[in-house]
Amino acid sequence: MEEKLNQDTPPSVKATAGAPIPPNLKVAPKPIKWFRTALAIACLLLMVCMSICFYYYSQASKANRRAKEIELKHATLLQRNAALEASLDIVRHPGMQQVSLKSVADSSASIATIYWNQKTKELYLLADALEAPVDGKQYQLWAQVDGQWVDAGLVDWKVDGTVMKMHNVVKASAFAISLENTGGNTNTSEKNWLAIGKI
């Protein structure tokens, strides 16, 4: 009988006879937190991409500003070159008479130069060594006509190598520059003179 029982019992049961049979339940593995990890990596990559994009955007903006600055400087240089060329055409004109205005304080120092076309009556001033006037003051050019000093125009102070157009003068025997209150004066006094030049 026992022999028959052994024959009917499966081998697996035989091997474990007398031992407790473990339950047929497996321990469930802990869920993998791959989603959180993937999300963190994605956020990190996004931040890196945004940083790179911001960097190149900043560089592109700087390059664009630099290009505009260069373009503006180029346009300014072209304008200045054109002004200088126009000034050269004026002073080289064969009909221009040149009159050097010497400093009243130092007669050897040239402060400005007058270019006067006696045919067209056009008058120009080139500021050689005029300093910027103090606040509330302005340079004024005068022409001596028949012994009287006549206003020849306010000087728009600048020392850039270009000539300034002044009032036309029909005739003159001398020119002078004075320092007047802003807006100029209707007459001048020798005490205000800075430079004078006789024809």
Side-chain angles (χ1 to χ4, degrees), residues 48-196:
V48 171
C49 289
M50 289 179 64
S51 298
I52 293 173
C53 289
F54 179 76
Y55 171 77
Y56 281 108
Y57 174 77
S58 298
Q59 293 299 108
S61 297
K62 287 180 182 178
N64 190 36
R65 286 195 299 269
R66 180 63 179 158
K68 287 182 178 179
E69 289 175 1
I70 292 174
E71 184 178 348
L72 180 61
K73 287 181 180 179
H74 179 66
T76 303
L77 286 174
L78 287 177
Q79 290 177 354
R80 176 169 168 72
N81 184 60
L84 288 172
E85 288 290 339
S87 294
L88 284 174
D89 289 342
I90 290 171
V91 300
R92 288 175 179 173
H93 192 280
M96 283 293 177
Q97 181 175 1
Q98 181 177 331
V99 182
S100 180
L101 302 185
K102 302 290 186 178
S103 170
V104 172
D106 180 7
S107 59
S108 64
S110 176
I111 288 183
T113 305
I114 291 292
Y115 294 93
W116 181 37
N117 190 321
Q118 295 188 23
K119 183 177 181 181
T120 64
K121 313 307 178 186
E122 291 178 309
L123 183 66
Y124 296 89
L125 173 69
L126 176 62
D128 296 328
L130 280 176
E131 296 181 354
V134 297
D135 291 340
K137 294 291 184 178
Q138 188 172 16
Y139 294 119
Q140 189 168 359
L141 180 65
W142 303 89
Q144 190 176 42
V145 180
D146 296 330
Q148 300 294 323
W149 288 98
V150 179
D151 172 35
L154 295 173
V155 179
D156 181 17
W157 179 83
K158 57 182 177 179
V159 182
D160 61 357
T162 60
V163 296
M164 290 170 268
K165 179 73 172 71
M166 309 305 293
H167 298 334
N168 286 4
V169 173
V170 176
K171 62 178 181 177
S173 57
F175 294 97
I177 291 179
S178 66
L179 186 62
E180 307 289 345
N181 291 328
T182 300
N185 206 337
T186 55
N187 51 62
T188 185
S189 172
E190 290 187 16
K191 67 179 182 179
N192 295 332
W193 287 2
L194 297 177
I196 188 170

